[in-house]
Amino acid sequence: MGSAVAMAQDKPVLGGMGAAPASKIPVPQVVRASAADTSRFPLTYCIALPAITPAEQWEKDYARYQRLVPPETKKTQEGLDFVALNGVSTWWCANSASPYAQLDTTTRIADAQRLVGEWHGVANRLITHIDSFSIADQKFYRSALARDTPGPFTIRFTASKLQLKPASLRRNRAHRHYVLLNQRYLLLYGLAKSNGNVSLVGLDPAGRLVFHTSTVVERKVRGQYHTYQTVTRQLICERAQ
């Protein structure tokens, strides 16, 4: 493995990069089978994806979300950039406020008070979305895969704190305070907001709470391929009666 450096998350640029080798990329626009409850919540439930053709439109669709990211959230964003000996350049960012598979903006929460109360989980799954661009045929390839995590969970909001049960759902147990930013970014923090974790939250048309925590991975080989991956922990909850 080559050099590694931490950097803030920036807008990706295709810049003539291409696609992953065919053995690593599924048939274009095919969604693979999933073990998750896709009958009730499909793989793209409350998720907005960039248009995959043409390439310029993908960039425009992704870029339009950057104006929504608040300064407090940007301070929490750090990524790891490294180049392997085989020439594959990889960029990785956990706790991403700008995943390639975004929470749909129609789920915005205008009033943070709507979060207050207890929410019971109806879905807990890990969804992986992959877009890859091929320089050989100038086309995008897209796939999606979800895996259910069984078992009940509860999210409880007070006016300033969040509690998750079981606690294993929360990455960092010290992050108990929260603030809702720009009607969709939930910043969880302990002593300092700059060290906080960011999730995207929203309310669907039925009033269910949708909670996304994402990691992004970008892989590329100059002149061959450029692959964008978003791994999202999606929690879907209904308000307790």
Side-chain angles (χ1 to χ4, degrees):
M1 187 174 296
S3 61
V5 62
M7 63 177 61
Q9 177 164 325
D10 293 319
K11 171 186 175 295
V13 177
L14 293 179
M17 297 303 172
S23 61
K24 296 184 179 180
I25 297 297
V27 178
Q29 301 192 54
V30 166
V31 175
R32 291 185 255 173
S34 168
D37 182 11
T38 53
S39 60
R40 184 178 184 188
F41 303 111
L43 283 172
T44 54
Y45 176 78
C46 290
I47 292 176
L49 296 165
I52 60 174
T53 54
E56 294 80 7
Q57 189 59 47
W58 192 100
E59 290 190 85
K60 291 178 182 178
D61 284 355
Y62 177 78
R64 65 182 179 175
Y65 294 99
Q66 299 309 300
R67 61 183 175 81
L68 301 176
V69 182
E72 301 97 319
T73 298
K74 291 180 180 179
K75 292 178 181 179
T76 69
Q77 301 295 285
E78 284 192 348
L80 182 66
D81 190 15
F82 57 91
V83 180
L85 294 177
N86 62 4
V88 178
S89 176
T90 299
W91 183 82
W92 172 89
C93 180
N95 179 37
S96 174
S98 299
Y100 310 126
Q102 288 273 341
L103 180 66
D104 196 318
T105 55
T106 62
T107 65
R108 286 190 180 189
I109 304 173
D111 183 0
Q113 286 298 312
R114 296 187 65 185
L115 288 171
V116 175
E118 186 171 294
W119 301 81
H120 293 167
V122 295
N124 174 7
R125 58 194 190 162
L126 199 66
I127 306 177
T128 301
H129 288 278
I130 299 177
D131 278 5
S132 187
F133 183 70
S134 169
I135 194 171
D137 55 16
Q138 291 292 297
K139 291 182 180 179
F140 267 105
Y141 295 78
R142 171 166 288 171
S143 69
L145 179 67
R147 185 176 73 250
D148 245 345
T149 301
F153 68 91
T154 299
I155 301 178
R156 183 177 294 111
F157 288 90
T158 67
S160 62
K161 291 187 178 181
L162 175 148
Q163 182 182 26
L164 275 172
K165 293 183 178 181
S168 59
L169 289 175
R170 189 169 60 240
R171 287 185 176 184
N172 190 328
R173 297 185 182 185
H175 291 165
R176 298 177 180 175
H177 299 280
Y178 78 87
V179 59
L180 181 66
L181 303 169
N182 282 6
Q183 303 180 7
R184 72 193 237 108
Y185 299 94
L186 191 73
L187 178 60
L188 303 178
Y189 63 96
L191 297 177
K193 291 182 179 179
S194 60
N195 294 326
N197 283 344
V198 178
S199 296
L200 279 78
V201 295
L203 295 172
D204 74 1
R208 288 182 288 254
L209 176 65
V210 185
F211 198 114
H212 284 186
T213 303
S214 299
T215 295
V216 299
V217 182
E218 185 178 325
R219 300 182 182 90
K220 61 186 177 183
V221 172
R222 185 172 296 277
Q224 296 183 36
Y225 69 83
H226 200 148
T227 298
Y228 306 99
Q229 175 177 298
T230 299
V231 181
T232 297
R233 170 65 64 185
Q234 184 184 67
L235 305 178
I236 304 172
C237 316
E238 294 178 346
R239 188 178 290 278
Q241 300 299 319

